[in-house]
Amino acid sequence: MKLFFCILFSFAAGPWALAQKNAETVKITYARIFNDQPADDRNATVVFARNNATLITTENILRGTAPFPAEQTFFNPENRKLIYFSYLSDSQALSAEDTLSARYELLPDRREILGYSCRKAKTVINSNTIEIWYTTALPYYAAPSALGIDLGTVLETIRNGNTIVRAQKIEKNAAFPKIIAAENYDLLSYRDLIWKSRFTTIPVFDHELINWNEETRSKEGVLRFANGTLIVKKVKFPEIGDRQQVFVELKQRSNGDAYDRTGSVFVIPEGREKNFFDGLRDGIRTLPLLKDTSGAEYQGMTLTENYLPNIELMRFFTSFGIHHFNYNTIKGKEWLEFTPFRQEISDLRSELSNKEVYVGTYIGNYDKGGHEVSLEITVHNGSSPYGNFNYALPVFNTVNVMEMGGQNYATFFADEKGLRVEFTLDRDLKDAKLRYITTGHGGWGNGDEFVPKVNRIFLDNLQVHSFTPWRQDCGSYRLSNPVSGNFASGLSSSDLSRSNWCPATVTNPVFIDLGDLKAGKHSIRVKIPQGPREGSSFSFWNVSGVLLGRQ
C-alpha cells in the first residue's frame, strides 16, 4: 500500500515529531578525497543535524541543480529508523523506510578532527572495509551516509584505505531544510523505481508467444508472420545522443518446445525502395534474390541498389526446454526459470535514434507451444567505445527469419566464391568497421555446427580478417537446459562445443577494422569452407554484417 506523507521542519506530531522545536541545528560539510587527491567538491555532501533528527543531502540538491533521481536520507535516533527520500522530478518524490543493520568493531584508536576527539570503528560491507571516525563530544547523530550514524557524529570515513569522506566545517545555527510530500513504498519497490528512473525503457514485446500456431493471437500492434514464428512491432525511438548507451534485453522460456533454436532480434531498416517488410506483406519471393552456382535462390539476404536487408541487433539461442520442462529433475541441478539475453547495441545508435521502425524477433520452431518472450530496449547515459558511429549500412544478413515462410537456409558458402556483396559510398567513411555475427549450423557429428571452420573476410578482394568462430564454454549454461540429451560419455548435448554458439547464450559481434574508405564502389566477401551434404543432412552459416563508420 502506498502512503502519502509530508516531512517538514515545522511538524509536531508522528514519528518525525521534534521533541524540542528550538533545538540548535548544525550544518556539517564533507569533502571527498581519493588516492590522496581532493575530489571536485562542488557537490559536497551536507548534513543537517538536531538532537533528534538528521538530514543527509548534497549541495546540488540544496541549490536545486541536482540531476534526477536526487536522494536524501533522514535519520530518527529515537527509533533508529531511516527514511530514504528521492525526487524523480520537480513534482514527484518517493520515500521508503529502512532500519540500521550494520555491525561495528569498536577499536581503541583515537585522533582529533576539527578539534574534536574521535574514536574509531570498523565494519565490512560487501567485501569493502569501512573505517569510521566519530565523536561523542557533539550531541548529534550525524554522518555522510547511514554508516556509523548511530555511533555519534561521524567526521571521517575511509573505504578500502583510499576513498575518504572527511568533515571540512561545522556551522551552527543552521536552518533545517523543508521537504515536499512523498509517496511511500516498501524498500524493494522504492529501490526498483529509483533504478529504473536512471534510464529510458522502450518496451517492445510483453510475454508474446513465438510458435507454430496460426490460432495464437498477439497483443495490439504486434504482427505475426510465418505461422507465428516471427513477430514484429513498429517502435518509436527517442533521440539517442552520442554520449548514451543502448542495450537490448530479451527474456525467453519454453512454452512447449524442447529444443535449442536459433533466435534473432532485428530492425527492418528504411531508406530504400524495398525492405524486408515488403516480403512479409507481399510474400518472400518479392524480395531480391541471390543465386549460387547450383541455381538455388536465397531471398532478401543481401544489399542491392534498392533494398536494405535486416539489421541484426542480437543473435541468441534458446535452451533445451527451460521452464516448461523443469519437472525433469537431476540431483544437484536447480533449473533456471527463464533465459535472459542482454547485449549492448550502442554501435547501431544511428539506425534507432529519432526513428520509427519495425523491430522483430524470430525463433525457428515448428512447435504449437513454442516459446514465450519479452523484449525491451533501454537507453542509458554514458559513452561506449563503439558508440561513436554515425553511419550504418546493412550489407548482408543470412539468418532466414522467414524459414517457416519459405526463406531458404544459407548454404551458398559451398561455392568457392562464398558470399560477395557490392556497396557504394556517397562520401568518404572514416574508421570503418564491419559488425560481423557468425554461427555455423547443421549436420550431425560432421556438420559445421560441431566442426571448426575458418571465416575469411575480404574488402575489395583483399583479405582483411580471418578467424575461427568457436565456443568451448557451453557447459557453463547447463542449468538452463533441463531436457538436454545425455550421452554415454557423461556429457550433455548442451555441453558440446559449437561453431560460435551455445544453447542459452548470445553470440557477440566481431568488429573488423576496414580502415578509412573512399567514396565510390566497394565489395565485401565472406568465405567459409562449408561442409558437404550427408544424405538429407546439410550445413549452413548464419552471418550478418553491418558496415559502420563516421562521415
Side-chain angles (χ1 to χ4, degrees), residues 104-141:
Y104 306 102
E105 178 186 1
L106 302 180
L107 301 171
D109 308 56
R110 298 289 189 271
R111 60 179 286 210
E112 190 173 287
I113 302 175
L114 294 180
Y116 295 97
S117 176
C118 294
R119 302 176 182 181
K120 183 179 181 181
K122 186 172 71 173
T123 189
V124 176
I125 305 293
N126 298 331
S127 300
N128 295 287
T129 299
I130 314 294
E131 300 172 34
I132 301 167
W133 290 93
Y134 67 98
T135 183
T136 56
L138 290 167
Y140 309 109
Y141 291 94

Side-chain angles (χ1 to χ4, degrees), residues 224-265:
R224 301 176 62 85
F225 297 96
N227 214 46
T229 59
L230 168 66
I231 58 176
V232 300
K233 179 182 178 181
K234 181 156 277 191
V235 177
K236 172 63 177 176
F237 288 91
E239 181 178 1
I240 304 172
D242 57 6
R243 300 289 295 180
Q244 291 184 300
Q245 294 173 276
V246 190
F247 284 78
V248 58
E249 181 171 358
L250 180 118
K251 296 178 180 177
Q252 171 271 331
R253 65 185 187 183
S254 169
N255 193 55
D257 187 15
Y259 281 94
D260 54 334
R261 306 293 189 182
T262 299
S264 181
V265 179

Side-chain angles (χ1 to χ4, degrees), residues 193-226:
L193 289 168
I194 296 302
W195 172 66
K196 289 179 178 177
S197 74
R198 298 181 185 278
F199 54 89
T200 300
T201 299
I202 304 162
V204 184
F205 302 124
D206 181 23
H207 295 91
E208 290 288 344
L209 290 181
I210 299 180
N211 57 344
W212 178 257
N213 190 344
E214 63 182 9
E215 296 179 359
T216 300
R217 295 294 177 264
S218 290
K219 297 179 178 64
E220 183 178 357
V222 178
L223 305 178
R224 301 176 62 85
F225 297 96

